[in-house]
Amino acid sequence: DNLFAVSRSPGGAIAILEDFEQQLASKWGLSIKPCSRKCIAAAGCPELSPDMVKWPQVESFVALGHVLSSDGNIRPCWQNTRKAMWRSFWANAGSERARELPRPLRISLLAKSVGPTLDYRCSRWPPQQTSGKEVNSMQCRMAASLLGVLRLPGEDAADYCRRRNRAAGSLCKTIGFWSHRWFKRS
C-alpha cells in the first residue's frame, strides 16, 4: 500500500523502488501509480532525482499521517496535525450530539478522541517550546468551548474572555497539558 525506500542518495532509493516495482509487475501485474511517485532528499544534498519526470523531487510529503520535510522541520506536520485535531474535536466532543452529555464526559471524550491524534503525530517531534505553547493554547480553546462559561450581565467582552480562558487554563492544568505529555514521551 505504501512504499518507502531510504538510501544515501536519491538514485539509490529510486533503484530500490524500481526493483520492487519490477517484482510487483512480474508476480502480480501491479505497478506504482505515477501520482504516487515522489523523491525527497535531505536539505543540502547536491544530488537530484535521476528522473525528474518519473520521480519528481519534492520538499515534503505525507507518510502514514506524518508530513516529512527535506529539512526536518516539524512545522508542516504540526499544521497538518492541528487540522486533524480540530476535525476530531468537532466530530466528537465538540459535536451537536455531545452537547447533551454531562461536562465531565465531554472532557473525557476530548482526551480520548483528540489526544491520541497528537500522541501519534508528535512521537517523532523533538520538544519545542513554541510549538508546545501552541499545543496548549489549542487545548485550552477546545476546553473553553466545552466548559460553556456564560457571559455575566454587564460583563464586557475582554473580561469575559479572560474569565473563560482562566477557567479553561485551570481545567487543562488539572487534567494535564498536552505539551507536557509530548515532552515526556520524547
Side-chain angles (χ1 to χ4, degrees), residues 159-171:
D159 290 338
Y160 166 69
C161 288
R162 279 192 291 274
R163 188 169 57 83
R164 181 180 186 225
N165 291 342
R166 274 195 306 273
S170 177
L171 172 65

Side-chain angles (χ1 to χ4, degrees), residues 53 81 99 107 146:
V53 173
T81 301
R99 289 184 185 168
I107 301 300
L146 298 180

Side-chain angles (χ1 to χ4, degrees), residues 25-96:
S26 67
K27 302 240 186 229
W28 294 291
L30 300 174
S31 64
I32 300 172
K33 295 182 291 191
C35 64
S36 295
R37 298 172 189 271
K38 293 181 179 105
C39 175
I40 187 169
C45 178
E47 294 182 50
L48 298 175
S49 171
D51 186 346
M52 294 293 264
V53 173
K54 188 174 180 182
W55 295 95
Q57 194 148 342
V58 295
E59 293 299 314
S60 65
F61 71 97
V62 178
L64 304 174
H66 297 278
V67 179
L68 303 177
S69 300
S70 62
D71 61 359
N73 188 351
I74 70 163
R75 203 84 194 139
C77 195
W78 161 235
Q79 291 167 345
N80 191 43
T81 301
R82 181 174 40 214
K83 289 176 190 171
M85 291 172 74
W86 277 112
R87 277 192 307 270
S88 179
F89 173 76
W90 290 118
N92 294 287
S95 71
E96 286 287 328

Side-chain angles (χ1 to χ4, degrees), residues 76-138:
C77 195
W78 161 235
Q79 291 167 345
N80 191 43
T81 301
R82 181 174 40 214
K83 289 176 190 171
M85 291 172 74
W86 277 112
R87 277 192 307 270
S88 179
F89 173 76
W90 290 118
N92 294 287
S95 71
E96 286 287 328
R97 292 181 61 194
R99 289 184 185 168
E100 301 167 8
L101 299 173
R103 190 172 297 140
L105 202 53
R106 290 177 73 194
I107 301 300
S108 175
L109 185 57
L110 172 68
K112 290 177 182 178
S113 63
V114 180
T117 302
L118 177 68
D119 289 344
Y120 171 69
R121 305 274 178 88
C122 76
S123 62
R124 65 173 198 84
W125 302 344
Q128 296 183 356
Q129 289 299 321
T130 303
S131 296
K133 287 177 184 177
E134 291 176 22
V135 167
N136 292 343
S137 173
M138 185 175 67

